[in-house]
Amino acid sequence: MTMRVGVLTGGGDAPGLNAAICGLARRLLAANAELVGFADGWRGLIDDAARPLQHADFQHLLVYGGTLLGSSGDNPYRDPATMVPKVLATIARHRLDALVAIGGEGTLGAADRLFTEHQVPVVGVPKTIDNDLDATDFTFGFFSAVEVATRAMDDLRSTAESHGRVMVVECMGRHAGWITAYAGVAAGAEAVLVPERPVHLEELCQNLARLRQAGSRSAIVAVAEGARLHEDGKCLSSMDKDEFGEFKTGGAAATIAKRVQARLGWEARPVVLGHLQRAGKPIAFDRIFALRLGARAARLVLERRFGYMSAMRSGEIVDVPLRAAVAARKTLTDQFLDRYESFFMPIGGP
Ligand code: F6P
């Protein structure tokens, strides 16, 4: 019997999403399965916005950023009493034998609950540029984002040096500093500020002052949007949450630049990389990585092994229970922070 498989992409987009859809679709269509694409993440199942996906849809898809299906952060568990029944009805209406959810913590968390609470036959594929899912070594899109951030910091060097300025470069990452850490270290930033370590602005300014006294004309400070800034013993960062329960971020670079300039008289400018980190084509690694994760998810579907997702473990593509993906957030380890101590600790030593 022909299998009917639904697919959705949820949460913030990540370069490689289309490649993951491609990897999934190629293997499923080769096995004569029918594929139904849902629009805008879980929203497509709540509203029943669907369309059949054919070979022609995937022909040139692999190389492009974004997602063919559209995405949103919506989630049936935002209002389970009304939304979960709608999702279940859509699944029944389309006679789906399986549903593949490609997403991060929120999207996969909903998939896991639908599997455990309603026996929905789900398979997951992990994605987030933030790289903060615990069950996989890396998520696709992360290294593409790191590449954007690294190049931006490299490029900012020349203008920082021309004008004798501090450039404070804000990277994405609400809870985890992976992008900031990889890009900051790769670009040789003078300070790398991540959510995993509190940032004391007095200390940062002292260190920058020391750097300047030692003859530096310019400096690059890499800061994660979720970095917790402290001044005079008080936390300056907002603890407000948005409609999806996420911390509202933004403004870290502006706050730091303002304080550095005021305290040191050293001209400082904020640069927010924002959605540029999710934009554009995925780098080759992410295309191949995503393609493989998608293909592995197709295999799980064809073997009817539900409640699992594809993942990378010790460099191999494997499958792990969906529950593992949402059990813990992967933040920068002490080992990582210690290995690059000089970037995260006071510049030029204590
Ligand atoms: O989860 C990925 C992420 O890129 C975060 O780093 C960032 O804070 C967030 O998405 C921004 O998403 P939005 O598209 O809703 O602004």
Side-chain angles (χ1 to χ4, degrees), residues 12-13 127-130 132 172-174 179 225 242 249 275 278:
D13 66 348
K127 87 59 247 194
T128 160
I129 63 160
D130 294 343
D132 58 356
M172 278 187 168
R174 284 175 166 145
I179 297 174
E225 61 181 342
D242 66 14
T249 49
H275 292 84
R278 292 194 339 217

Side-chain angles (χ1 to χ4, degrees), residues 202-237:
E202 299 85 347
E203 192 185 15
L204 175 71
C205 288
Q206 278 165 19
N207 296 330
L208 286 171
R210 209 178 294 144
L211 191 74
R212 203 181 192 194
Q213 274 155 19
S216 288
R217 221 178 114 72
S218 67
I220 299 280
V221 174
V223 60
E225 61 181 342
R228 302 268 144 217
L229 309 184
H230 296 260
E231 190 177 45
D232 302 327
K234 283 199 288 280
C235 182
L236 304 180
S237 307

Side-chain angles (χ1 to χ4, degrees), residues 192-200 226-230 332-341 343-346:
V192 181
L193 313 174
V194 292
E196 289 83 350
R197 294 253 164 107
V199 177
H200 297 282
R228 302 268 144 217
L229 309 184
H230 296 260
L332 283 167
T333 57
D334 285 341
Q335 193 193 23
F336 185 98
L337 291 164
D338 291 347
R339 185 177 306 141
Y340 300 103
E341 197 184 7
F343 289 89
F344 299 99
M345 299 303 280

Side-chain angles (χ1 to χ4, degrees), residues 243-265:
E243 57 179 319
F244 300 117
E246 285 286 0
F247 282 119
K248 284 184 185 166
T249 49
T255 303
I256 292 172
K258 213 186 288 168
R259 297 302 203 280
V260 167
Q261 191 160 318
R263 280 177 184 261
L264 305 182

Side-chain angles (χ1 to χ4, degrees), residues 23-67:
L24 175 84
R26 283 183 188 194
R27 188 169 280 194
L28 288 178
L29 297 187
N32 290 321
E34 288 174 6
L35 199 52
V36 180
F38 288 91
D40 302 337
W42 289 110
R43 171 71 24 217
L45 277 106
I46 296 163
D47 294 344
D48 193 358
R51 66 177 171 108
L53 298 177
Q54 320 282 1
H55 270 294
D57 292 312
F58 314 115
Q59 208 178 343
H60 306 293
L61 191 62
L62 170 65
V63 304
Y64 294 107
T67 162

